[in-house]
mmCIF file of all heavy atoms in Angstrom:
data_model
loop_
_atom_site.group_PDB
_atom_site.id
_atom_site.type_symbol
_atom_site.label_atom_id
_atom_site.label_comp_id
_atom_site.label_asym_id
_atom_site.label_seq_id
_atom_site.Cartn_x
_atom_site.Cartn_y
_atom_site.Cartn_z
ATOM 1 N N ALA A 51 -2.774 -17.280 -27.642
ATOM 2 C CA ALA A 51 -2.695 -17.959 -26.303
ATOM 3 C C ALA A 51 -1.990 -19.335 -26.495
ATOM 4 O O ALA A 51 -1.136 -19.748 -25.713
ATOM 5 C CB ALA A 51 -4.054 -18.134 -25.660
ATOM 6 N N PHE A 52 -2.340 -19.997 -27.619
ATOM 7 C CA PHE A 52 -1.720 -21.325 -27.898
ATOM 8 C C PHE A 52 -0.210 -21.122 -28.091
ATOM 9 O O PHE A 52 0.627 -21.906 -27.620
ATOM 10 C CB PHE A 52 -2.359 -21.916 -29.158
ATOM 11 C CG PHE A 52 -1.672 -23.167 -29.643
ATOM 12 C CD1 PHE A 52 -1.991 -24.413 -29.066
ATOM 13 C CD2 PHE A 52 -0.686 -23.127 -30.645
ATOM 14 C CE1 PHE A 52 -1.274 -25.518 -29.534
ATOM 15 C CE2 PHE A 52 -0.049 -24.218 -31.078
ATOM 16 C CZ PHE A 52 -0.356 -25.463 -30.505
ATOM 17 N N ALA A 53 0.186 -20.076 -28.886
ATOM 18 C CA ALA A 53 1.569 -19.819 -29.141
ATOM 19 C C ALA A 53 2.323 -19.501 -27.842
ATOM 20 O O ALA A 53 3.451 -19.938 -27.640
ATOM 21 C CB ALA A 53 1.721 -18.700 -30.158
ATOM 22 N N GLN A 54 1.699 -18.750 -26.987
ATOM 23 C CA GLN A 54 2.287 -18.353 -25.737
ATOM 24 C C GLN A 54 2.617 -19.614 -24.911
ATOM 25 O O GLN A 54 3.727 -19.815 -24.429
ATOM 26 C CB GLN A 54 1.389 -17.432 -24.889
ATOM 27 C CG GLN A 54 1.834 -17.186 -23.485
ATOM 28 C CD GLN A 54 3.158 -16.520 -23.395
ATOM 29 O OE1 GLN A 54 3.792 -16.081 -24.377
ATOM 30 N NE2 GLN A 54 3.705 -16.470 -22.161
ATOM 31 N N ALA A 55 1.693 -20.526 -24.842
ATOM 32 C CA ALA A 55 1.876 -21.823 -24.131
ATOM 33 C C ALA A 55 2.999 -22.630 -24.781
ATOM 34 O O ALA A 55 3.855 -23.238 -24.102
ATOM 35 C CB ALA A 55 0.599 -22.593 -23.993
ATOM 36 N N PHE A 56 3.016 -22.636 -26.098
ATOM 37 C CA PHE A 56 4.002 -23.305 -26.865
ATOM 38 C C PHE A 56 5.413 -22.773 -26.577
ATOM 39 O O PHE A 56 6.368 -23.534 -26.280
ATOM 40 C CB PHE A 56 3.693 -23.210 -28.377
ATOM 41 C CG PHE A 56 4.798 -23.738 -29.273
ATOM 42 C CD1 PHE A 56 4.847 -25.051 -29.584
ATOM 43 C CD2 PHE A 56 5.707 -22.817 -29.822
ATOM 44 C CE1 PHE A 56 5.848 -25.540 -30.437
ATOM 45 C CE2 PHE A 56 6.721 -23.327 -30.688
ATOM 46 C CZ PHE A 56 6.773 -24.650 -30.997
ATOM 47 N N PHE A 57 5.567 -21.493 -26.531
ATOM 48 C CA PHE A 57 6.857 -20.854 -26.278
ATOM 49 C C PHE A 57 7.326 -21.088 -24.889
ATOM 50 O O PHE A 57 8.551 -21.369 -24.632
ATOM 51 C CB PHE A 57 6.812 -19.348 -26.601
ATOM 52 C CG PHE A 57 6.586 -18.934 -28.034
ATOM 53 C CD1 PHE A 57 5.874 -17.872 -28.377
ATOM 54 C CD2 PHE A 57 7.196 -19.697 -29.053
ATOM 55 C CE1 PHE A 57 5.697 -17.481 -29.709
ATOM 56 C CE2 PHE A 57 6.963 -19.376 -30.440
ATOM 57 C CZ PHE A 57 6.233 -18.251 -30.717
ATOM 58 N N VAL A 58 6.409 -21.008 -23.903
ATOM 59 C CA VAL A 58 6.741 -21.310 -22.504
ATOM 60 C C VAL A 58 7.224 -22.710 -22.377
ATOM 61 O O VAL A 58 8.242 -22.970 -21.719
ATOM 62 C CB VAL A 58 5.577 -20.944 -21.540
ATOM 63 C CG1 VAL A 58 5.777 -21.487 -20.162
ATOM 64 C CG2 VAL A 58 5.325 -19.422 -21.557
ATOM 65 N N ARG A 59 6.527 -23.666 -22.953
ATOM 66 C CA ARG A 59 6.912 -25.092 -22.864
ATOM 67 C C ARG A 59 8.334 -25.228 -23.533
ATOM 68 O O ARG A 59 9.154 -26.043 -22.982
ATOM 69 C CB ARG A 59 5.955 -25.984 -23.581
ATOM 70 C CG ARG A 59 4.683 -26.359 -22.706
ATOM 71 C CD ARG A 59 3.869 -27.423 -23.310
ATOM 72 N NE ARG A 59 3.544 -27.262 -24.729
ATOM 73 C CZ ARG A 59 2.555 -26.582 -25.225
ATOM 74 N NH1 ARG A 59 1.714 -26.010 -24.379
ATOM 75 N NH2 ARG A 59 2.348 -26.535 -26.499
ATOM 76 N N ALA A 60 8.539 -24.617 -24.665
ATOM 77 C CA ALA A 60 9.831 -24.768 -25.368
ATOM 78 C C ALA A 60 10.974 -24.208 -24.468
ATOM 79 O O ALA A 60 12.062 -24.788 -24.456
ATOM 80 C CB ALA A 60 9.761 -24.054 -26.701
ATOM 81 N N LEU A 61 10.714 -23.125 -23.746
ATOM 82 C CA LEU A 61 11.775 -22.592 -22.898
ATOM 83 C C LEU A 61 12.118 -23.515 -21.747
ATOM 84 O O LEU A 61 13.271 -23.718 -21.435
ATOM 85 C CB LEU A 61 11.328 -21.223 -22.294
ATOM 86 C CG LEU A 61 12.308 -20.574 -21.351
ATOM 87 C CD1 LEU A 61 13.599 -20.166 -22.127
ATOM 88 C CD2 LEU A 61 11.673 -19.362 -20.680
ATOM 89 N N ALA A 62 11.133 -24.270 -21.264
ATOM 90 C CA ALA A 62 11.371 -25.221 -20.121
ATOM 91 C C ALA A 62 11.919 -26.547 -20.659
ATOM 92 O O ALA A 62 12.398 -27.354 -19.844
ATOM 93 C CB ALA A 62 10.058 -25.498 -19.424
ATOM 94 N N SER A 63 11.892 -26.798 -21.955
ATOM 95 C CA SER A 63 12.369 -28.067 -22.502
ATOM 96 C C SER A 63 13.866 -28.079 -22.597
ATOM 97 O O SER A 63 14.543 -27.000 -22.523
ATOM 98 C CB SER A 63 11.784 -28.307 -23.873
ATOM 99 O OG SER A 63 12.392 -27.451 -24.845
ATOM 100 N N PRO A 64 14.503 -29.232 -22.844
ATOM 101 C CA PRO A 64 15.937 -29.315 -23.065
ATOM 102 C C PRO A 64 16.393 -28.406 -24.230
ATOM 103 O O PRO A 64 17.475 -27.815 -24.145
ATOM 104 C CB PRO A 64 16.185 -30.771 -23.332
ATOM 105 C CG PRO A 64 15.069 -31.481 -22.680
ATOM 106 C CD PRO A 64 13.930 -30.599 -22.787
ATOM 107 N N GLU A 65 15.537 -28.300 -25.231
ATOM 108 C CA GLU A 65 15.858 -27.421 -26.368
ATOM 109 C C GLU A 65 15.998 -25.961 -25.965
ATOM 110 O O GLU A 65 16.686 -25.225 -26.660
ATOM 111 C CB GLU A 65 14.785 -27.646 -27.396
ATOM 112 C CG GLU A 65 15.087 -27.007 -28.757
ATOM 113 C CD GLU A 65 14.012 -27.327 -29.742
ATOM 114 O OE1 GLU A 65 12.875 -27.585 -29.365
ATOM 115 O OE2 GLU A 65 14.324 -27.197 -30.948
ATOM 116 N N GLY A 66 15.387 -25.558 -24.884
ATOM 117 C CA GLY A 66 15.384 -24.159 -24.447
ATOM 118 C C GLY A 66 16.612 -23.824 -23.588
ATOM 119 O O GLY A 66 16.687 -22.679 -23.079
ATOM 120 N N GLN A 67 17.555 -24.699 -23.383
ATOM 121 C CA GLN A 67 18.670 -24.488 -22.545
ATOM 122 C C GLN A 67 19.455 -23.217 -22.871
ATOM 123 O O GLN A 67 19.777 -22.407 -21.964
ATOM 124 C CB GLN A 67 19.623 -25.662 -22.534
ATOM 125 C CG GLN A 67 20.924 -25.502 -21.748
ATOM 126 C CD GLN A 67 20.704 -25.136 -20.320
ATOM 127 O OE1 GLN A 67 19.773 -25.682 -19.647
ATOM 128 N NE2 GLN A 67 21.433 -24.199 -19.759
ATOM 129 N N GLU A 68 19.755 -23.007 -24.163
ATOM 130 C CA GLU A 68 20.524 -21.809 -24.530
ATOM 131 C C GLU A 68 19.702 -20.548 -24.207
ATOM 132 O O GLU A 68 20.302 -19.535 -23.678
ATOM 133 C CB GLU A 68 20.798 -21.816 -25.994
ATOM 134 C CG GLU A 68 21.649 -20.652 -26.438
ATOM 135 C CD GLU A 68 21.971 -20.651 -27.955
ATOM 136 O OE1 GLU A 68 21.606 -21.652 -28.666
ATOM 137 O OE2 GLU A 68 22.524 -19.659 -28.446
ATOM 138 N N ALA A 69 18.405 -20.583 -24.394
ATOM 139 C CA ALA A 69 17.557 -19.403 -24.052
ATOM 140 C C ALA A 69 17.518 -19.182 -22.562
ATOM 141 O O ALA A 69 17.592 -18.034 -22.104
ATOM 142 C CB ALA A 69 16.166 -19.636 -24.624
ATOM 143 N N ARG A 70 17.410 -20.258 -21.771
ATOM 144 C CA ARG A 70 17.450 -20.124 -20.312
ATOM 145 C C ARG A 70 18.767 -19.508 -19.833
ATOM 146 O O ARG A 70 18.797 -18.661 -18.999
ATOM 147 C CB ARG A 70 17.153 -21.416 -19.609
ATOM 148 C CG ARG A 70 15.688 -21.889 -19.790
ATOM 149 C CD ARG A 70 15.396 -23.067 -18.864
ATOM 150 N NE ARG A 70 16.258 -24.175 -18.991
ATOM 151 C CZ ARG A 70 16.205 -25.173 -19.874
ATOM 152 N NH1 ARG A 70 15.216 -25.112 -20.789
ATOM 153 N NH2 ARG A 70 17.057 -26.203 -19.847
ATOM 154 N N ALA A 71 19.851 -19.981 -20.417
ATOM 155 C CA ALA A 71 21.192 -19.506 -20.046
ATOM 156 C C ALA A 71 21.303 -18.046 -20.449
ATOM 157 O O ALA A 71 21.836 -17.232 -19.626
ATOM 158 C CB ALA A 71 22.277 -20.341 -20.787
#
Side-chain angles (χ1 to χ4, degrees):
F52 173 84
Q54 171 62 9
F56 171 84
F57 294 145
V58 167
R59 279 191 312 274
L61 181 64
S63 75
E65 189 176 23
Q67 175 56 40
E68 183 180 356
R70 288 191 309 275

